[in-house]
């Protein structure tokens, strides 16, 4: 695990422990309980896919995981809320492995799954309650937990572009699916800009699964969604050393230049994506707070959209280099625009402006065909 991946992993672990802090202490157990229900629904979805494909082995895995792995975490709060319901949940989940199989008709199996979905809904209403279950902040915290769990599952499942553990791969995929289902339920209540970015990130995350991407890339993309959620919840750390993000962006983009010139397009794209998702995302809010909305939007567009599109579309190395030079020059301006960076010599700003003028002039001199 490299330094950047390690930092993002530690951040993810930290945030899963702090994701509950926005709720009263009495609601923390409900969030944990609800997350187990959401994972259970993810397993039901994976079960349905495997039944459709007549994969008996994996169907059994997802039919039994809810009772084998999740029920024990739900049992104490179920018993405290309604002992009779606890018994009913346990019975239905235990029987699912025998009722939802490839040895019965697909309709019979679906009826067993639908019965299990119904008991999950009843358990949600009984333990969590309607008001909290429909709270947008509560729901997007569930998204975070599902995505964080999916990252861990994918790390276990995929190595060198090969799925070594199919059950874990399907777990990760199911939890991503369920998190997106929740997102679709609440996105009308969320800020438009964050919704747009989350939708784009989900597309990238599904593509990463389809392409059996490196686990670090999946972690980066899922982490991007988690970061957007943190922005919505106002959970971003104010103590982060923002200058580290600037330096890391410059380093990653410089590496991307080299890799793209050497024909390593996928690696260059990965480096550019990490520069944005793992780093610039954390500078957006401070820039807006510093009155630099226009600068933030310019860098975001150049980095998130234009540079990545150029790499994806196989643009000439010279053009990619020029775009990266513009972004790096803008990062020098970012560095002196946010108060948290501390006192920085104005010479840096002057050099940055001169560099931008030089790059712009150079770009204009290139003939267009």
């Amino acid at each position: 695990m490299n330094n950047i991946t390690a930092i993002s992993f530690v951040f993810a672990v930290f945030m899963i422990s702090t994701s509950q802090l926005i709720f009263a202490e009495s609601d923390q157990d409900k969030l944990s309980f609800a997350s187990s229900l959401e994972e259970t629904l993810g397993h039901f979805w994976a079960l349905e896919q495997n039944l459709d494909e007549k994969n008996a082995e994996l169907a059994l895995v997802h039919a039994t995981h809810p009772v084998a792995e999740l029920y024990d975490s739900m049992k104490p709060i179920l018993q405290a809320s309604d002992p009779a319901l606890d018994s009913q949940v346990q019975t239905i989940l235990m029987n699912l492995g025998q009722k939802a199989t490839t040895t019965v008709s697909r309709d019979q199996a679906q009826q067993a799954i639908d019965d299990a979905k119904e008991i999950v809904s009843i358990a949600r209403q009984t333990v969590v309650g309607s008001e909290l279950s429909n709270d947008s902040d509560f729901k997007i915290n569930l998204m975070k937990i599902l995505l964080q769990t999916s990252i861990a599952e994918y790390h276990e499942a995929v190595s060198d572009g090969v799925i070594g553990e199919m059950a874990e791969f399907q777990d990760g995929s199911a939890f991503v699916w369920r998190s997106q289902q929740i997102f679709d339920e609440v996105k009308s209540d969320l800020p438009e800009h964050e919704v747009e970015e989350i939708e784009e990130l989900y597309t990238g995350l599904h593509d990463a699964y389809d392409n059996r991407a490196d686990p670090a890339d999946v972690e980066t993309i899922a982490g991007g969604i988690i970061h957007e959620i943190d922005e919505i919840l106002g959970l971003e750390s104010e103590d982060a050393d923002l200058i580290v993000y600037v330096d890391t962006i410059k380093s990653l983009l410089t590496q991307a230049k080299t890799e793209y010139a050497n024909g390593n397009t996928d690696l260059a794209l990965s480096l550019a994506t990490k520069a944005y998702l793992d780093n610039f995302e954390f500078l957006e809010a401070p820039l807006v707070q510093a009155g630099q909305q226009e600068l933030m939007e310019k860098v975001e567009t150049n980095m998130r959209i234009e540079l990545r599109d150029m790499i994806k579309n196989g643009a000439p190395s010279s053009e990619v280099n020029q775009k990266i030079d513009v972004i790096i020059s803008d990062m020098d301006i970012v560095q002196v625009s946010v108060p948290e960076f501390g006192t920085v010599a104005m010479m840096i700003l002057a050099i940055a402006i001169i560099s931008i003028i030089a790059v712009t002039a150079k770009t204009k001199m290139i003939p267009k065909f």
Side-chain angles (χ1 to χ4, degrees):
M1 183 180 291
N2 60 35
N3 290 338
I4 297 169
T5 303
I7 290 170
S8 64
F9 179 76
V10 170
F11 178 77
V13 171
F14 171 74
M15 289 315 302
I16 194 169
S17 66
T18 59
S19 61
Q20 302 179 14
L21 295 180
I22 64 168
F23 300 108
E25 185 176 354
S26 60
D27 292 333
Q28 293 180 10
D29 288 341
K30 293 181 180 179
L31 182 63
S32 177
F33 179 85
S35 71
S36 293
L37 292 181
E38 298 301 344
E39 288 188 25
T40 298
L41 292 174
H43 282 297
F44 293 167
W45 177 79
L47 169 59
E48 290 172 337
Q49 311 309 304
N50 283 294
L51 288 173
D52 288 341
E53 295 174 5
K54 301 189 185 326
N55 190 321
E57 181 180 355
L58 284 171
L60 181 62
V61 168
H62 294 291
T64 56
H65 268 199
V67 71
E69 297 184 350
L70 297 170
Y71 170 71
D72 286 344
S73 67
M74 296 187 284
K75 184 178 179 68
I77 195 167
L78 274 170
Q79 284 187 324
S81 300
D82 188 333
L85 176 61
D86 170 50
S87 177
Q88 193 175 8
V89 169
Q90 183 180 28
T91 299
I92 289 176
L93 292 181
M94 285 185 67
N95 290 338
L96 193 61
Q98 293 153 349
K99 291 186 175 181
T101 71
T102 55
T103 62
V104 301
S105 72
R106 185 65 181 82
D107 288 342
Q108 288 176 306
Q110 190 62 51
Q111 184 58 58
I113 296 171
D114 290 343
D115 290 344
K117 289 179 181 177
E118 183 178 358
I119 201 64
V120 164
S121 178
I122 293 171
R124 185 197 306 277
Q125 291 300 313
T126 302
V127 174
V128 181
S130 179
E131 182 177 356
L132 197 56
S133 293
N134 292 313
D135 180 83
S136 294
D137 285 356
F138 188 82
K139 285 188 171 184
I140 61 177
N141 267 284
L142 291 174
M143 286 175 59
K144 280 183 61 176
I145 295 171
L146 285 165
L147 287 166
Q148 288 159 342
T149 306
S150 76
I151 291 170
E153 297 288 356
Y154 193 91
H155 268 281
E156 291 183 24
V158 178
S159 179
D160 297 325
V162 177
I163 300 174
E165 301 290 341
M166 181 57 77
E168 282 74 11
F169 179 84
Q170 290 188 350
D171 285 349
S173 180
F175 300 154
V176 169
W177 168 83
R178 184 58 198 157
S179 73
Q180 191 168 16
Q181 294 293 300
I182 298 171
F183 171 64
D184 287 340
E185 294 171 5
V186 301
K187 65 183 181 182
S188 61
D189 299 328
L190 306 180
E192 183 177 349
H193 179 71
E194 278 74 13
V195 167
E196 179 184 337
E197 291 205 9
I198 289 173
E199 287 179 335
E200 180 179 332
L201 287 165
Y202 268 119
T203 298
L205 190 53
H206 290 303
D207 288 344
Y209 266 81
D210 289 343
N211 295 326
R212 313 300 188 250
D214 187 275
D217 293 336
V218 169
E219 182 179 337
T220 295
I221 300 170
I225 301 174
I226 291 168
H227 175 68
E228 293 296 334
I229 292 171
D230 287 340
E231 281 194 340
I232 296 169
L233 294 173
L235 291 178
E236 291 185 282
S237 171
E238 296 180 357
D239 298 324
D241 188 357
L242 300 182
I243 195 67
V244 172
Y245 294 124
V246 172
D247 291 340
T248 303
I249 288 168
K250 292 178 180 179
S251 175
L252 288 170
L253 292 182
T254 300
Q255 292 176 57
K257 267 188 180 183
T258 301
E259 297 300 339
Y260 191 76
N262 290 336
N264 300 322
T265 304
D266 290 342
L267 180 53
L269 181 60
S270 174
L271 291 165
T273 301
K274 288 179 180 180
Y276 176 72
L277 289 180
D278 280 356
N279 295 277
F280 190 72
E281 278 278 4
F282 296 96
L283 298 174
E284 289 183 352
L287 279 169
V288 173
Q289 292 167 7
Q292 296 290 342
Q293 174 88 24
E294 186 175 344
L295 175 61
M296 183 277 287
E297 291 178 352
K298 177 190 175 187
V299 177
E300 179 193 22
T301 299
N302 279 336
M303 195 181 302
R304 177 172 69 92
I305 300 174
E306 295 184 5
L307 175 60
R308 295 174 69 245
D309 283 350
M310 289 171 72
I311 294 173
K312 290 178 184 177
N313 296 329
S317 292
S318 58
E319 294 181 12
V320 170
N321 289 345
Q322 289 158 17
K323 177 63 70 175
I324 289 176
D325 287 342
V326 168
I327 295 170
I328 289 177
S329 295
D330 280 341
M331 293 312 301
D332 288 333
I333 300 177
V334 168
Q335 183 170 325
V336 296
S337 299
V338 180
E340 284 85 346
F341 288 139
T343 304
V344 181
M346 288 304 294
M347 187 190 324
I348 298 176
L349 178 59
I351 293 172
I353 294 172
I354 292 170
S355 298
I356 290 174
I357 293 172
V359 170
T360 303
K362 183 178 179 181
T363 302
K364 289 181 178 178
M365 288 177 11
I366 296 176
K368 295 182 180 180
F369 299 97

